[in-house]
Amino acid sequence: MNGLGTKKLETERLILRKFEVSDASDMYNNWAGDPLVSEFLTWPYHTDIEVTKKILAIWEKKYSDKFYMNWAIVEKSTNNVIGSIGVVDFKESVKSAEIGYALSRMYWGRGIMPEALKRVMDFLFDDVGFNRVAACHDTDNPKSGRVMEKVGMIREGVLRQSRVNNRGITDVMWYSTIRSDR
């Protein structure tokens, strides 16, 4: 596998790039400070912008790690940071990556996240060399599963009571794509 880090990626409507502390206002106002966005996530919503600034400072330092891949989702037409997508876990021995993402509610239902996920998956398979890319969602959040289906991920099944998110212990549905599926 190639440790390429968080390379700048583009799609028709989006720029995917490294986060900067200067993104704090967009991140806090667009999704990190919104309890509805974080309802199904494993991290709590940010109670104030200072929390966001601290998180971004930590992330900026991690970018020196060539296997740290965490992108800000930037809308090209406005240059606003509207979400995040990244590798939240990977297993080098089987060349497998798990993806996590979050998006401003104002952009839900517009095909933004499938567009970002598809571009990240292409990078992970074609450039980094992963054999498997997977993602999961709380079974009470089927819209996240629709994102995975739209990019061609295959539903694998439910792991019962296997994760903790902001709603408590939950069942999660897993999806994946392996290199031979492409």
Side-chain angles (χ1 to χ4, degrees), residues 19-85:
F19 278 98
E20 302 167 355
V21 172
S22 61
D23 296 324
S25 180
D26 278 355
M27 182 174 170
Y28 178 76
N29 291 320
N30 288 334
W31 78 95
D34 184 341
L36 288 177
V37 172
S38 68
E39 177 182 8
F40 297 105
L41 301 178
T42 58
W43 50 267
Y45 76 93
H46 298 181
T47 54
D48 62 58
I49 198 166
E50 294 307 313
V51 173
T52 306
K53 288 178 183 176
K54 288 177 186 174
I55 295 292
L56 288 172
I58 291 167
W59 289 356
E60 274 190 338
K61 290 177 184 170
K62 289 183 177 183
Y63 284 124
S64 62
D65 177 346
K66 293 301 181 186
F67 281 98
Y68 181 70
M69 293 168 271
N70 183 30
W71 290 270
I73 301 172
V74 180
E75 183 183 38
K76 282 183 179 178
S77 65
T78 64
N79 205 37
N80 288 331
V81 180
I82 60 171
S84 66
I85 186 167

Side-chain angles (χ1 to χ4, degrees), residues 56-124:
L56 288 172
I58 291 167
W59 289 356
E60 274 190 338
K61 290 177 184 170
K62 289 183 177 183
Y63 284 124
S64 62
D65 177 346
K66 293 301 181 186
F67 281 98
Y68 181 70
M69 293 168 271
N70 183 30
W71 290 270
I73 301 172
V74 180
E75 183 183 38
K76 282 183 179 178
S77 65
T78 64
N79 205 37
N80 288 331
V81 180
I82 60 171
S84 66
I85 186 167
V87 175
V88 296
D89 191 22
F90 76 94
K91 294 174 180 55
E92 191 170 5
S93 62
V94 291
K95 298 181 179 180
S96 176
E98 179 186 343
I99 303 294
Y101 48 77
L103 185 67
S104 168
R105 271 193 294 149
M106 293 175 14
Y107 292 87
W108 289 357
R110 296 186 190 180
I112 296 288
M113 194 52 73
E115 186 174 327
L117 179 57
K118 173 78 169 82
R119 182 64 186 98
V120 167
M121 288 173 63
D122 288 345
F123 173 75
L124 295 177

